[in-house]
């Protein structure tokens, strides 16, 4: 009895690791190295305590390694103190790496280590991740904190999906994932859109306007979703001819059917109930004008949605999870077809309907 009580009192102490003794990675990146090697870059965050207050600093290390775990060993040899990736906020993947290689082997160690940062956000960078990580600091924020906050704000505005290491687990392959796409503009990381994947390799990108509509078509609206479009003829460029809408509610119909002759058809309809948040021409007090604007926006967004679907099919990106529906409801057909060849031939019926519910306080 006494021994049991002593064991219970000791539980939880034997494997503790104090943060003050760790050198924590805030952002890490994986790039394609020479001769089949992996180039890994990490930024370690330190907090310097001075009389003027606390100040964040970054220490960047880059190594050439055979695997991700090997890279950790090499970085640990360069870093004073206990190196730890457990608090990493963002994992970046270089575009050359994800276009030319299967990235999953490099993520394997994250799924096996109990101390892995599975909630770390994942994004793709144009070019190498090392270039972005070596910026070190933007304003008062370290590059890791800045990139994490940037991705979070873009997720909240329905511009990019929220993807972390756990989301990318290779067991779920009924649909293709997409990742935020980062570029460096005037020395500062910027979200340029999203990177589309065909299975495990990146094949295409969408710009920011396309990625917002892609998110709505995927039924992934977050807190806000604003869209700016022409309110008149597309060929006119006057600044009065634009209108900005905020999507309040979204209703999505998504249906996958198989005809008697084994043709796969997808019905994708989106109904957006929106508020007008900017209308420089201020001409919506006439109902006829408002209905005309609804029709114009519906046509524009329908055309753009069809273009995005065609782009996805050319890229082999099944971001709506059509394969998952076929696996579940048409298993016999699924076993017979070659999905890579069949997906570009799938017939889509894509439509977007806009309904203006509010035009702001200026009626």
């Amino acid at each position: 009895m006494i021994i049991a009580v002593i064991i219970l009192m000791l539980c939880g102490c034997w494997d503790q690791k104090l943060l003050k003794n760790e050198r924590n990675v805030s952002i890490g990146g994986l790039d394609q190295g020479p001769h089949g090697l992996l180039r890994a870059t990490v930024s370690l965050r330190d907090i310097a305590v001075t009389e003027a207050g606390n100040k964040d600093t970054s220490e960047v290390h880059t190594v050439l390694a055979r695997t991700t775990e090997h890279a950790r060993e090499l970085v640990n040899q360069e870093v004073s103190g206990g190196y730890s990736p457990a608090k990493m906020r963002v994992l970046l993947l270089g575009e050359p790496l994800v276009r030319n290689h299967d990235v999953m082997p490099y993520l394997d160690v994250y799924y096996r280590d109990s101390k892995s940062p599975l909630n770390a956000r994942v994004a793709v960078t144009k070019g190498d991740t090392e270039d972005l990580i070596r910026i070190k600091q933007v304003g008062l924020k370290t590059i890791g904190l800045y990139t994490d906050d940037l991705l979070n704000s873009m997720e909240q505005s329905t511009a990019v999906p929220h993807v972390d290491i756990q989301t990318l687990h290779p067991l779920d392959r009924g649909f293709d994932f997409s990742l935020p796409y980062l570029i460096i503009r005037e020395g500062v990381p910027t979200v340029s859109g999203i990177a589309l994947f065909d299975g495990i390799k990146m094949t295409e990108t969408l710009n920011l306007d396309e990625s917002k509509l892609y998110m709505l078509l995927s039924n992934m609206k977050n807190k806000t979703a604003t869209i700016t479009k022409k309110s008149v003829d597309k060929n006119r460029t006057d600044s009065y001819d634009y209108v900005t809408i905020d999507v309040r509610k979204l209703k999505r119909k998504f249906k996958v059917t198989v005809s008697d002759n084994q043709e796969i058809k997808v019905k994708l309809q989106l109904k957006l109930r929106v508020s007008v948040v900017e209308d420089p021409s201020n001409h919506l007090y006439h109902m006829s004008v408002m209905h005309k604007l609804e029709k114009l926006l519906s046509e524009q967004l329908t055309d753009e949605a069809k273009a995005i679907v065609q782009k996805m099919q050319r890229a082999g990106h099944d971001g709506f999870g059509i394969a998952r529906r076929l696996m579940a409801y048409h298993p016999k057909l699924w076993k017979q077809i070659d999905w890579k060849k069949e997906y570009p031939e799938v017939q889509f019926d894509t439509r977007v309907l806009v309904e203006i519910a509010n035009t702001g306080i200026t009626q």
Side-chain angles (χ1 to χ4, degrees), residues 147-160:
T147 307
D148 188 40
D149 289 345
L150 171 67
L151 291 173
N152 181 49
S153 65
M154 296 304 285
E155 290 167 10
Q156 298 303 315
S157 60
T158 319
V160 297

Side-chain angles (χ1 to χ4, degrees), residues 16 36 157 183 194 213 215 255 282-283 292 300 303 308:
Q16 70 172 344
S157 60
I183 62 172
I194 58 175
L213 188 51
M215 293 287 290
K255 190 174 183 180
N282 194 27
H283 61 311
K292 187 178 178 181
Q300 285 188 51
D303 291 343
I308 290 171

Side-chain angles (χ1 to χ4, degrees), residues 99-209:
R99 278 193 183 273
N100 302 320
H101 298 276
D102 178 1
V103 73
M104 288 304 167
Y106 300 124
L107 301 181
D108 180 76
V109 66
Y110 292 104
Y111 303 120
R112 296 180 186 277
D113 186 355
S114 60
K115 299 184 291 295
S116 287
L118 292 178
N119 62 347
R121 290 183 166 86
V122 184
V124 173
T125 61
K126 184 178 182 179
D128 290 338
T129 65
E130 183 181 355
D131 298 335
L132 188 147
I133 295 173
R134 287 199 175 275
I135 293 175
K136 288 190 175 181
Q137 192 142 354
V138 179
L140 298 177
K141 294 181 179 179
T142 59
I143 188 63
L145 185 60
Y146 180 87
T147 307
D148 188 40
D149 289 345
L150 171 67
L151 291 173
N152 181 49
S153 65
M154 296 304 285
E155 290 167 10
Q156 298 303 315
S157 60
T158 319
V160 297
H162 174 89
V163 185
D164 55 37
I165 295 175
Q166 190 170 12
T167 309
L168 293 181
H169 195 281
L171 290 180
D172 187 359
R173 284 289 146 252
F175 76 104
D176 294 318
F177 60 83
S178 57
L179 296 175
Y181 187 65
L182 296 171
I183 62 172
I184 300 174
R185 183 179 295 157
E186 298 181 356
V188 178
T190 305
V191 175
S192 173
I194 58 175
L196 304 182
F197 281 72
D198 174 6
I200 45 141
K201 290 186 180 178
M202 175 183 165
T203 52
E204 187 56 272
T205 58
L206 297 180
N207 63 37
L208 213 48
D209 286 340

